[in-house]
Amino acid sequence: MTKGRICTAMGAPSRQEFFQELPSGCLLPTAQQGLQQVWQLLLICLVCRLLWRIGRLPSCIKHLSTIAGGFYTLYLFFELHMVWVVLLSLLCYLILFLCRHSNSRGPFLSITVLIYLLLGELHMMDTNSWHKMRGSQMVVAMKAISLAFDLDKGTVESVPSPVEFMGYVYFVGTVIFGPWISFNSYREAVESQKLSISWFMKVICSWMKSQLCLVVSNCVAPYLFPYFIPIMGDKLLRNKKRRKIRGSIARWLLAYENTMSFHFSNYFVSYFSETTTTLAGAGFTEEKDHLKWDLAVAKPLNVEFPRSMVEVVTSWNQPMSRWLNTYVFRKALKLGTFQAILLTYTASTLLHGLSFHIGAVLVTLGFMTYIEHELQFKLDERTAHSSLDLFKKDTGAIYRILGLDPTHVQDSPLRFRDWAVVLADSHIESGRHYWEVTVKKSDEFRLGVADVATSRDECIGTNSSSWVFAYLQKKWYAMTTNKMVPVTLVGKPDRVGLLLDFEAGRFSLVDTQTAKMVHMIKTQFRTPVSPAFALWDGEILTHSGLEMPPGL
């Protein structure tokens, strides 16, 4: 989108002149230019949605309609350069068809797409034209690769017909701005859910948010500190060439303006992609007897005020984060956590193009994510029994007698069903790890580790896939396979330490006052484990990322 410009013959306008010119000089031009560039895309999305509502319309007609709409919008945005997007989609389907009897379609297609994208970056056409289509190329590549892995896994039973595949790839709601959606989500969209107030409100809300973010990116962020927040007085106004301003504070302020403008530009694309995807009929989840139009691409508050680096990365583009997690990270976990994280960020770098700056940022984020992943963990809400209420940014759990309303608890196969247990979100498969737990107002609890895939129908400590230290009847016990061994520990300290040595097969209870081991459980860990906690009253608070006490 083109930015509006505010200027006077004498250079930078005064604050009064700036705010007088703001509506006509930036706000209205930004809104008008934005609408001029996307109104046809919005109209085609709506037409496809209404067309699919026609009763007994053959599926092939629905697929052909979105293919036609996708082709037209690609031509609107890229003209004849769209042929490279078409070529990629044809190549992907050819690979799927030729490998239809193979169980390695995902890796093979991934390598093919990677080679194609690298050739495009280096040889096939000029850089500027290729970069304009990078977003659409990325969406096509992600859709094809996810379909290939789903075919290998059996989530999708058979290779779709050419018309159905092209309908998925050129789905008009996502072909330009994204986001990635799964093949099954596309199929559900083609079935066409009824028009509703909630659908209409979602479209309107996402559209309004996108326009607000566009205005902030173009008309607020570039002028944030000289006009909207003049914390340096007139210093930034007097200098006609603001880039030449000296002084560390001024440079930081200008850098923040550029960063803010970039952030809100991304939020604009995210909210606008929500608009087009929802308008075309995708982006919903089914809840019993009604649909919930809840597609969320970005979470700006989590990016601007993050609790962790991982939260920044996942909230920047949630569909892409899920794609990377499902089809890259999890597939590469068998290579080790560090290798899987590095491979995930490398894949993201390649999808974004051969840009040194983007690559450097993403690889750096990969290292930071790995360090954070290794040092800290949070409690995984997906595993928490309904009687446990997580608090303090998911690092603590409190036992509620009545529990949470089951209708407010998201159904998950990872959740413990009969026991008040919760696992951490960290999967440990190597190294030595230390964390501490503060216990308040509890007379019965268990602290330990459990296999990531431990049974959700059993309490930790009662099976061979969990190892815990239990406190009950004012005594400590070491537990596994439901066998209890008394632990000599006087009283009930408010805070205890836990030390896991994965390779050595040792799990120890630590006295935090003396920094000494109280008791050790010896075993052999064969699969990744997670910190595990069970609670019958009171509350616990976990402390991870701590320096290991000397001598342990």
Side-chain angles (χ1 to χ4, degrees):
M1 301 297 174
T2 305
K3 292 186 178 182
R5 298 184 180 274
I6 302 176
C7 61
T8 66
M10 300 299 294
S14 66
R15 291 190 182 88
Q16 183 177 359
E17 293 173 334
F18 172 82
F19 286 109
Q20 287 176 347
E21 293 184 20
L22 183 62
S24 60
C26 189
L27 296 180
L28 289 178
T30 295
Q32 291 173 352
Q33 292 172 13
L35 187 60
Q36 287 174 0
Q37 293 185 36
V38 301
W39 72 268
Q40 293 184 72
L41 173 59
L42 294 172
L43 180 61
I44 295 172
C45 289
L46 180 60
V47 169
C48 285
R49 175 86 164 99
L50 297 177
L51 179 64
W52 292 354
R53 288 296 301 158
I54 298 177
R56 297 182 180 180
L57 189 68
S59 295
C60 64
I61 301 299
K62 295 181 179 180
H63 298 313
L64 288 172
S65 66
T66 195
I67 293 172
F71 267 60
Y72 182 69
T73 53
L74 282 171
Y75 181 77
L76 283 177
F77 281 84
F78 309 127
E79 297 180 337
L80 293 179
H81 292 307
M82 64 172 280
V83 68
W84 298 107
V85 181
V86 177
L87 182 61
L88 175 60
S89 64
L90 293 174
L91 176 64
C92 289
Y93 189 78
L94 177 63
I95 297 299
L96 288 178
F97 180 78
L98 294 177
C99 301
R100 60 189 180 278
H101 300 303
S102 171
N103 291 324
S104 301
R105 285 165 287 200
F108 190 72
L109 182 60
S110 300
I111 294 173
T112 304
V113 169
L114 172 61
I115 294 174
Y116 179 87
L117 294 178
L118 288 176
L119 289 175
E121 291 280 346
L122 299 174
H123 298 291
M124 287 196 296
M125 62 184 300
D126 67 279
T127 303
N128 291 333
S129 299
W130 183 265
H131 287 181
K132 288 180 182 179
M133 298 183 297
R134 181 178 289 162
S136 291
Q137 297 272 32
M138 184 189 305
V139 172
V140 170
M142 291 169 65
K143 286 182 176 181
I145 292 172
S146 66
L147 175 59
F149 278 109
D150 287 344
L151 286 165
D152 291 341
K153 187 179 178 181
T155 306
V156 178
E157 295 180 355
S158 60
V159 177
S161 67
V163 173
E164 189 175 18
F165 174 80
M166 293 302 171
Y168 170 50
V169 167
Y170 296 116
F171 177 55
V172 68
T174 62
V175 68
I176 301 297
F177 294 96
W180 166 81
I181 61 173
S182 68
F183 183 70
N184 286 331
S185 295
Y186 168 72
R187 279 180 167 174
E188 292 173 353
V190 170
E191 292 175 4
S192 188
Q193 306 298 325
K194 65 179 181 179
L195 305 178
S196 64
I197 296 297
S198 60
W199 166 78
F200 179 75
M201 291 303 299
K202 173 63 178 177
V203 171
I204 295 299
C205 288
S206 295
W207 165 254
M208 294 179 65
K209 290 177 183 177
S210 72
Q211 298 309 294
L212 177 62
C213 291
L214 181 62
V215 166
V216 172
S217 177
N218 286 356
C219 304
V220 177
Y223 313 103
L224 184 63
F225 293 111
Y227 295 105
F228 290 93
I229 310 177
I231 59 177
M232 294 192 67
D234 294 334
K235 181 178 179 180
L236 296 179
L237 289 180
R238 288 195 297 267
N239 198 303
K240 296 181 181 179
K241 295 183 178 180
R242 299 174 63 216
R243 293 181 181 178
K244 295 184 179 181
I245 293 177
R246 296 181 179 180
S248 58
I249 295 179
R251 286 200 298 270
W252 276 107
L253 293 178
L254 296 180
Y256 182 80
E257 285 181 348
N258 294 332
T259 301
M260 183 178 177
S261 180
F262 174 71
H263 281 198
F264 277 85
S265 176
N266 176 73
Y267 303 149
F268 158 71
V269 173
S270 299
Y271 283 124
F272 187 73
S273 66
E274 287 181 19
T275 304
T276 56
T277 304
T278 306
L279 188 61
F284 61 86
T285 55
E286 296 187 39
E287 289 190 354
K288 295 181 180 179
D289 57 346
H290 69 281
L291 296 179
K292 187 176 182 181
W293 297 90
D294 55 359
L295 175 64
V297 176
K299 289 186 175 180
L301 290 179
N302 290 355
V303 175
E304 305 300 329
F305 307 101
R307 298 179 298 177
S308 66
M309 188 57 63
V310 173
E311 189 172 53
V312 174
V313 174
T314 57
S315 299
W316 184 258
N317 187 324
Q318 292 188 101
M320 184 168 193
S321 175
R322 286 193 293 271
W323 184 89
L324 288 169
N325 181 60
T326 303
Y327 301 105
V328 182
F329 179 74
R330 292 184 182 178
K331 303 296 181 183
L333 262 180
K334 58 186 177 182
L335 303 176
T337 303
F338 175 75
Q339 292 86 341
I341 291 177
L342 189 60
L343 185 60
T344 301
Y345 281 91
T346 301
S348 179
T349 301
L350 294 172
L351 285 171
H352 283 89
L354 293 180
S355 167
F356 172 78
H357 298 290
I358 293 177
V361 170
L362 290 174
V363 172
T364 302
L365 283 174
F367 281 101
M368 295 175 68
T369 301
Y370 174 72
I371 294 172
E372 189 175 85
H373 182 275
E374 289 294 297
L375 294 180
Q376 297 181 339
F377 65 74
K378 291 182 173 61
L379 303 181
D380 190 347
E381 192 279 333
R382 298 174 300 171
T383 67
H385 185 265
S386 60
S387 64
L388 296 179
D389 190 8
L390 305 189
F391 68 98
K392 203 167 185 180
K393 299 180 180 179
D394 293 347
T395 60
I398 185 169
Y399 180 83
R400 307 287 189 187
I401 296 178
L402 298 179
L404 302 176
D405 185 345
T407 61
H408 295 163
V409 178
Q410 184 178 1
D411 186 28
S412 170
L414 302 178
R415 193 177 302 284
F416 282 85
R417 291 175 277 275
D418 300 322
W419 301 91
V421 177
V422 61
L423 302 183
D425 61 1
S426 177
H427 296 178
I428 300 171
E429 54 187 331
S430 64
R432 302 178 81 230
H433 304 263
Y434 176 77
W435 63 95
E436 295 180 357
V437 182
T438 298
V439 184
K440 295 182 179 180
K441 301 177 182 179
S442 179
D443 293 319
E444 187 173 356
F445 55 87
R446 296 179 187 179
L447 314 173
V449 294
D451 286 350
V452 172
T454 190
S455 172
R456 269 41 175 181
D457 295 318
E458 299 175 296
C459 188
I460 54 173
T462 63
N463 52 34
S464 60
S465 60
S466 57
W467 305 263
V468 305
F469 292 101
Y471 183 85
L472 68 155
Q473 298 177 352
K474 300 182 179 180
K475 294 181 181 180
W476 283 92
Y477 299 89
M479 287 187 65
T480 185
T481 62
N482 215 23
K483 297 178 181 178
M484 303 175 65
V485 177
V487 174
T488 304
L489 181 65
V490 179
K492 184 191 72 172
D494 293 331
R495 184 160 171 160
V496 296
L498 297 161
L499 174 63
L500 172 67
D501 190 330
F502 191 90
E503 283 81 6
R506 292 196 287 258
F507 182 57
S508 306
L509 183 65
V510 178
D511 185 338
T512 57
Q513 298 296 323
T514 62
K516 293 182 179 180
M517 294 184 188
V518 177
H519 190 89
M520 179 191 299
I521 299 175
K522 295 209 67 174
T523 185
Q524 186 174 3
F525 301 112
R526 301 181 183 278
T527 61
V529 298
S530 292
F533 311 89
L535 200 59
W536 280 263
D537 56 3
E539 62 185 65
I540 60 168
L541 183 64
T542 63
H543 313 275
S544 58
L546 304 176
E547 183 178 354
M548 192 174 302
L552 291 181

